[in-house]
Amino acid sequence: TPSSHTPLEPLSQRRLRTLSTKSMVEANGTSTAAARALPAIVKAVPSGDTVLVMGADSSRGPPPEKLISLTGITAPRLANRSTDDSPWAWASRDFLRRLVIGKPVTFVIEAPASTVPGGPTGGPPREFGTVYFEGLPLQQHIVAAGWARLKGVALQDEVLAPIEAASKEEGRGVWNEASAASSVRSIKWAGSFDAAGLVAAFGRQPQEAIIEHVPSGSFLRALLLPGFEQVTLSLCGTQCPPLKRGEDGVEEAAPFAREARFFVESRLLHRSVQIALQGVDKNGTLLGTVLHEQGNISLELLRVGLARVADWSSQLSDNPKELREAERQAKAGRLRLWREYVPPQAASELLARVVEVVSGDTLVVADAANNETRYSLSSIRCPRMGREPEPYAAEAKEALRRLLIGKKVRVTPEYHRSFEGQGGGVQERLFAAVLFDKADRNAAEVLVAEGLASVSKHGGAEERSAHYDALCDAEADAIAAKKGMHSGAPPKKGAAVTDLSLPASKERAKSFLSNFTRGGKLRGVVQYVLSGSRLKVLLLKDHCLVTLALVGVRCPACARRDSPSSGEPFGDEALAATRAACLQREVEVEIESVNDKTGVFNGTLTLPEKRNLSLVLLEAGLASRFGAAADRSVHAADLAKSEGVAKAAGLKVWEDYSEEAAAEEAAANAAAAASEMEPIPDAQKQRVELTLTEIADGAHFYAHVAGDDTVARLHAKLASACAGPPPAMAFEPKVGAVCAARFSQDNEWYRAKVTKRDKGSYTVFFLDYGNCDVVSAERVRPLDPTLAPSVLSAQAVECRLAHLIVDEPSSEDGEEAALLLGDAAWGKTVVARVEDRASGVLLVTLFDAAQSCVNEKLVAAGLARVEKGVARRAEPLVAALREHEAAAKKGHIGMWRYGDIEEDDAHEFGFRRPAPAPAPKGNPWKK
């Protein structure tokens, strides 16, 4: 090849040596020039006629260097970013590089140093002289191979001139003019090509290369062959101390930074190596491994203590375990960077029990005194939970739950971190190693080995787990086995969970009751503990999340985070006891009934140790039997017995219990209840003037308090808040969310609550008017927080005509009832006498402008029936209504036209409709 070392022909070695000695005597004017030559080692070959030599002794740090241009010859110039190669420049330099790089030479300086530095990095100044290799001046080797031309007085040199003439005659090197054009390289300079594409093209296969420059120990510039791609390379998994050059050109070096650079320069600079490209960092710098025939430079740097393992890139390398082992050797020997290294001391251990798993890498433990502490597992990161969990987040949390919940563990605190909290404050997070089982298995290592967590990439000075190396090894094995998140595939989707614990699901919860009661004892996992006797449980077979209230048992109310009150005595203790006993444990649930109003299921919960949670709480004095449900329960006898034990011992809630005092209190409560049932004179009842805003049916309506301007002021603020352009991000409120909605009939904005979503449209209920509408997605917007219902309550007052029953508006009688109510009250100021309240709804007697009773009109017209079984305090009011009802029956008016419909409730007679029809859109009774 053009770069090969051409034999010195036709001259014999003896003749060449003789001529060399003669030439040296003439050039230096003395026969002692060779004797004055100084020993050195060739460190670099910048061009075909220049070498960088260094002292042979590096025991005291990087030795001195000299940049020597060989006198009497000139080689073709190499390319830079602005100019191309001169013909044969690369071959000329490559010949000299292969001939002398890293080899011992001697040199003589023949001209003073130039004032111009020798290179762009501020190296030694250029000097002129002769370098001897194997007893001969390098000029003779180069000229004999044809890779340089003579210049100046050397043209008359009786040794070099014949050598050049022979090379020229045979067409060697630069004298081969026929091939000169093809010798010019086409260089792809760094930044002119896609680095990531280069990695993909080579596929981690080692490529031939030459190291051209070493800015620092772990940062190199190389030329890939045979394509001549200039690349900037960072050693994968390795980080040496940095070197920085200030604006004044002065180099600032961290401890051992120059030693690390020299270590690499003296072994790799201008050497032929192989480079395996393994990735690209965020700045576009290539990451890779440099392989020399003597070994891996990254491993050598780590072994001698001139580098640290770079956690963030070590997993991209092909040998992360070897890198960490090399670093461990340097640490053990306290070499260079590790000269002050102190092995981590064993921290004080804490024996505790795991009471909650927050996420895949965070848990809560309780010590012997039941003091709870939250820890994150050291040096690992699991996928994050949240409203939209990351892939494998749920799997990681479930794996840690199965692994540790309820078990005794050894917790070793290792370090802490400060994070900015959501409210802007600083939060401290504790990190620890959690060991379990007799074999002291590391929970973090188990998760990493299953591909459910990744090892954190720490900075050089950051604290890390004492088991960090084992974690990295486990991660390497998981990556190799393509487990979990390293498989490249999404996690398997489980069955969707039906959430019956939401307020909007109370009607749906009733339909599941028969299925739950037939199933007997159902396996489940407690997801959350709301209070001592109320929990959220995920039923595994049915994939339903339900709210469970312990049947017949009441625990004291605990403190709430959204309330300043401290709760009832022993409420927090009952919560803690239930939480410690069953949170995130697998339990058995036996459901007996469901609350029609709230959708909460009533039942019994059996703990993992087969104990009834209700009995446990009763025996500890943290609960009491409650209501008739306790007597109806299948465990009624056991409940009474457990409560009796706690009463007898005076535990907790029974510590001040006295049978006599309890009897007196019961009697007083009964008397108070009886007094409350006494009728109230009409003159003492509250009266309020109303203007109706919506009629739901003949006995159900919404209204505003007459004369109150709150609604007008609210409407003005809402119009101002919604006057601007719509938000940039699409607003998609969920069912139950409060928002601003534009009413389709007047295009004005009102406060609304989403009751249904259906393919881009929303059914909303207007909080301040009581009516509903179906609007498109562009007609809903986020509500200004200052106008939220928590700041200003809903202005529509919900009312029902006291103790009256009417048909649905879709029926003939129901429509007539609604029309009668509208004729009497719509668009007018009416007076409502408040008879009672039920779940926030006013039960009223309504009087029109003529002070006629609307309730009595509806009953007299046969459009409403009177409730049966009313409370005693309502009997006077109901008695008057029943007189009108009796008259309507006797006269066969309205619903009574075919007789007494209350004698037979069968649907086939047509007096009762099977199911209420949906309310019509808008309000047909508005004038």
Side-chain angles (χ1 to χ4, degrees):
T1 63
S3 60
S4 63
H5 182 185
T6 306
L8 299 180
E9 294 176 354
L11 300 175
S12 66
Q13 287 289 343
R14 174 179 292 182
R15 175 62 176 161
L16 192 56
R17 291 178 185 276
T18 302
L19 294 175
S20 170
T21 303
K22 181 177 179 182
S23 175
M24 185 175 64
V25 171
E26 292 177 353
N28 294 281
T30 174
S31 60
T32 61
R36 293 189 290 106
L38 301 175
I41 294 176
V42 177
K43 180 181 178 182
V45 180
S47 67
D49 58 9
T50 303
V51 293
L52 178 67
V53 299
M54 64 179 180
D57 183 11
S58 59
S59 60
R60 297 183 180 181
E65 300 174 356
K66 283 187 178 293
L67 182 66
I68 302 175
S69 288
L70 301 175
T71 55
I73 66 171
T74 178
R77 299 296 94 185
L78 289 168
N80 54 38
R81 284 185 177 269
S82 58
T83 60
D84 293 334
D85 277 340
S86 298
W88 300 114
W90 172 253
S92 172
R93 182 270 188 126
D94 204 45
F95 166 78
L96 184 58
R97 181 186 69 81
R98 291 174 181 270
L99 180 66
V100 298
I101 191 69
K103 296 179 181 179
V105 296
T106 57
F107 68 91
V108 175
I109 299 300
E110 300 170 0
S114 168
T115 58
V116 181
T121 59
R126 185 183 301 273
E127 301 180 86
F128 294 89
T130 299
V131 177
Y132 297 90
F133 174 65
E134 295 181 349
L136 296 177
L138 278 182
Q139 290 94 322
Q140 293 185 22
H141 291 275
I142 297 169
V143 172
W147 296 121
R149 303 172 187 267
L150 297 179
K151 67 176 181 178
V153 296
L155 291 170
Q156 310 301 321
D157 189 279
E158 63 181 36
V159 175
L160 293 176
I163 296 176
E164 182 183 53
S167 298
K168 186 174 183 180
E169 181 181 351
E170 296 180 15
R172 298 176 188 166
V174 298
W175 307 109
N176 182 2
E177 297 180 357
S179 302
S182 62
S183 69
V184 177
R185 297 173 297 165
S186 176
I187 303 174
K188 302 177 183 66
W189 299 100
S192 64
F193 55 87
D194 180 22
L198 200 64
V199 176
F202 291 152
R204 302 175 73 95
Q205 293 298 319
Q207 304 296 314
E208 298 293 331
I210 295 174
I211 304 301
E212 294 289 348
H213 182 48
V214 182
S216 71
S218 55
F219 203 70
L220 317 173
R221 191 168 295 126
L223 198 64
L224 301 182
L225 302 177
F228 295 108
E229 293 94 356
Q230 185 197 53
V231 297
T232 300
L233 183 75
S234 179
L235 294 180
C236 193
T238 307
Q239 186 174 15
C240 291
L243 283 156
K244 295 182 181 179
R245 191 174 298 279
E247 296 180 357
D248 56 357
V250 178
E251 190 176 70
E252 298 178 3
F256 297 102
R258 291 191 176 91
E259 288 83 346
R261 180 174 63 184
F262 173 74
F263 185 89
V264 176
E265 283 181 335
S266 62
R267 288 160 175 78
L268 297 186
L269 185 58
H270 290 173
R271 311 292 177 96
S272 296
V273 297
Q274 287 189 322
I275 293 179
L277 300 179
Q278 292 156 330
V280 181
D281 70 8
K282 62 182 180 181
N283 297 319
T285 303
L286 287 163
L287 302 171
T289 300
V290 178
L291 304 173
H292 188 264
E293 60 184 8
Q294 298 297 324
N296 184 333
I297 191 63
S298 298
L299 292 175
E300 299 304 320
L301 283 166
L302 290 166
R303 286 192 183 107
V304 298
L306 288 173
R308 292 183 171 90
V309 172
D311 299 327
W312 64 274
S313 64
S314 62
Q315 297 307 313
L316 293 176
S317 69
D318 296 327
N319 56 343
K321 292 184 179 180
E322 295 179 24
L323 295 177
R324 287 189 295 275
E325 178 58 32
E327 185 183 59
R328 279 195 290 267
Q329 293 176 11
K331 286 180 178 179
R334 296 188 179 181
L335 302 177
R336 297 178 175 86
L337 289 174
W338 308 108
R339 64 190 186 280
E340 298 179 357
Y341 172 73
V342 177
Q345 303 297 317
S348 58
E349 290 184 348
L350 169 69
L351 296 178
R353 178 172 48 85
V354 178
V355 296
E356 182 182 359
V357 173
V358 180
S359 66
D361 55 12
T362 304
L363 45 80
V364 179
V365 300
D367 58 17
N370 284 329
N371 296 317
E372 294 186 359
T373 308
R374 181 169 174 156
Y375 288 101
S376 293
L377 300 179
S378 299
S379 295
I380 71 165
R381 182 192 184 278
C382 287
R384 291 289 172 255
M385 298 293 292
R387 292 186 177 180
E388 296 183 1
E390 298 176 358
Y392 290 97
E395 287 76 7
K397 180 179 178 181
E398 177 63 12
L400 190 62
R401 184 194 71 81
R402 289 177 177 272
L403 205 63
L404 296 182
I405 194 68
K407 292 184 179 180
K408 292 183 178 180
V409 295
R410 287 174 40 213
V411 180
T412 305
E414 294 186 306
Y415 59 91
H416 65 90
R417 295 276 190 273
S418 296
F419 299 92
E420 184 176 350
Q422 295 182 351
V426 177
Q427 295 181 351
E428 291 285 335
R429 185 182 300 177
L430 300 175
F431 290 81
V434 178
L435 308 180
F436 66 101
D437 287 350
K438 294 181 179 179
D440 281 345
R441 297 168 63 197
N442 187 345
E445 187 175 346
V446 173
L447 291 171
V448 171
E450 292 299 322
L452 297 175
S454 57
V455 180
S456 300
K457 313 308 178 189
H458 294 289
E462 283 187 340
E463 296 172 296
R464 61 192 69 192
S465 172
H467 307 271
Y468 190 79
D469 293 337
L471 294 175
C472 292
D473 293 344
E475 184 176 41
D477 293 339
I479 293 173
K482 296 184 178 180
K483 289 186 176 181
M485 65 176 68
H486 308 299
S487 64
K492 294 181 180 179
K493 287 188 176 181
V497 175
T498 302
D499 192 349
L500 301 178
S501 65
L502 298 174
S505 302
K506 60 183 178 181
E507 293 298 327
R508 193 177 183 188
K510 301 175 188 177
S511 65
F512 280 81
L513 178 62
S514 60
N515 184 44
F516 292 161
T517 53
R518 286 197 307 267
K521 289 189 175 181
L522 307 173
R523 291 179 57 248
V525 176
V526 177
Q527 300 292 310
Y528 193 73
V529 178
L530 302 168
S531 68
S533 57
R534 183 167 294 202
L535 317 90
K536 284 189 177 183
V537 183
L538 176 64
L539 302 180
L540 300 178
K541 180 181 178 181
D542 301 278
H543 304 287
C544 292
L545 181 65
V546 302
T547 301
L548 177 72
L550 299 181
V551 65
V553 173
R554 180 190 181 277
C555 289
C558 56
R560 298 180 54 173
R561 285 179 293 181
D562 58 352
S563 173
S565 69
S566 58
E568 298 177 359
F570 305 107
D572 291 343
E573 191 172 342
L575 171 66
T578 301
R579 189 167 177 271
C582 63
L583 180 61
Q584 295 183 335
R585 309 284 190 90
E586 294 189 9
V587 297
E588 290 181 343
V589 175
E590 192 173 2
I591 291 178
E592 298 182 12
S593 61
V594 63
N595 188 311
D596 292 340
K597 295 182 179 179
T598 62
V600 174
F601 291 92
N602 302 309
T604 304
L605 185 143
T606 304
L607 298 172
E609 57 271 22
K610 304 302 180 184
R611 298 187 65 196
N612 187 324
L613 177 60
S614 301
L615 302 182
V616 171
L617 292 170
L618 287 169
E619 290 174 0
L622 293 172
S624 58
R625 291 189 304 149
F626 179 71
D631 298 326
R632 292 196 303 266
S633 172
V634 295
H635 304 283
D638 292 332
L639 294 176
K641 181 180 178 180
S642 298
E643 185 183 54
V645 171
K647 279 184 179 180
L651 298 177
K652 308 297 182 182
V653 298
W654 307 111
E655 61 184 11
D656 297 324
Y657 175 74
S658 167
E659 290 188 7
E660 293 79 5
E664 292 176 0
E665 183 180 358
N669 291 338
S675 65
E676 285 188 5
M677 298 305 294
E678 293 298 325
I680 302 175
D682 291 344
Q684 297 180 13
K685 295 177 182 177
Q686 180 185 5
R687 291 173 179 260
V688 59
E689 291 186 344
L690 301 175
T691 56
L692 274 61
T693 60
E694 175 70 9
I695 297 177
D697 60 38
H700 183 199
F701 61 91
Y702 292 84
H704 287 161
V705 177
D708 189 355
D709 66 344
T710 303
V711 175
R713 289 187 283 108
L714 171 64
H715 184 62
K717 291 180 179 178
L718 196 59
S720 175
C722 297
M729 296 182 61
F731 178 58
E732 298 179 353
K734 296 182 178 180
V735 173
V738 177
C739 62
R742 175 171 275 180
F743 188 35
S744 57
Q745 293 188 16
D746 61 7
N747 280 329
E748 296 293 336
W749 292 95
Y750 301 97
R751 297 192 301 174
K753 183 177 182 179
V754 178
T755 59
K756 183 181 178 181
R757 291 179 59 178
D758 185 19
K759 297 180 181 178
S761 65
Y762 298 88
T763 302
V764 296
F765 172 78
F766 292 103
L767 299 176
D768 302 311
Y769 289 86
N771 60 318
C772 296
D773 195 8
V774 178
V775 297
S776 58
E778 60 269 14
R779 298 178 75 88
V780 293
R781 290 190 183 181
L783 184 65
D784 187 333
T786 61
L787 303 177
S790 58
V791 178
L792 183 63
S793 61
Q795 296 300 297
V797 181
E798 185 177 4
C799 303
R800 286 186 178 273
L801 299 182
H803 310 303
L804 296 189
I805 301 172
V806 298
D807 282 347
E808 292 293 331
S810 57
S811 68
E812 181 181 350
D813 293 334
E815 184 176 359
E816 289 294 329
L819 288 172
L820 190 153
L821 176 61
D823 289 338
W826 191 261
K828 307 170 185 177
T829 300
V830 295
V831 176
R833 187 178 69 206
V834 180
E835 307 292 347
D836 206 344
R837 290 174 173 82
S839 301
V841 179
L842 298 184
L843 304 181
V844 302
T845 298
L846 199 64
F847 299 93
D848 59 16
Q851 293 301 306
S852 298
C853 180
V854 178
N855 301 46
E856 294 178 354
K857 284 184 178 181
L858 284 167
V859 176
L863 299 176
R865 293 185 292 130
V866 182
E867 285 182 346
K868 292 183 178 180
V870 297
R872 188 173 65 188
R873 65 172 176 268
E875 287 179 353
L877 172 65
V878 171
L881 292 173
R882 283 180 180 154
E883 291 179 3
H884 293 283
E885 185 181 56
K889 285 182 181 181
K890 186 175 181 180
H892 298 281
I893 302 173
M895 68 177 67
W896 313 108
R897 56 187 173 274
Y898 300 116
D900 191 349
I901 64 173
E902 294 180 331
E903 293 180 353
D904 197 332
D905 290 340
H907 300 312
E908 59 266 26
F909 288 98
F911 301 118
R912 295 283 184 93
R913 274 62 181 179
K921 295 181 180 178
N923 192 332
W925 307 287
K926 290 183 179 178
K927 295 183 180 178

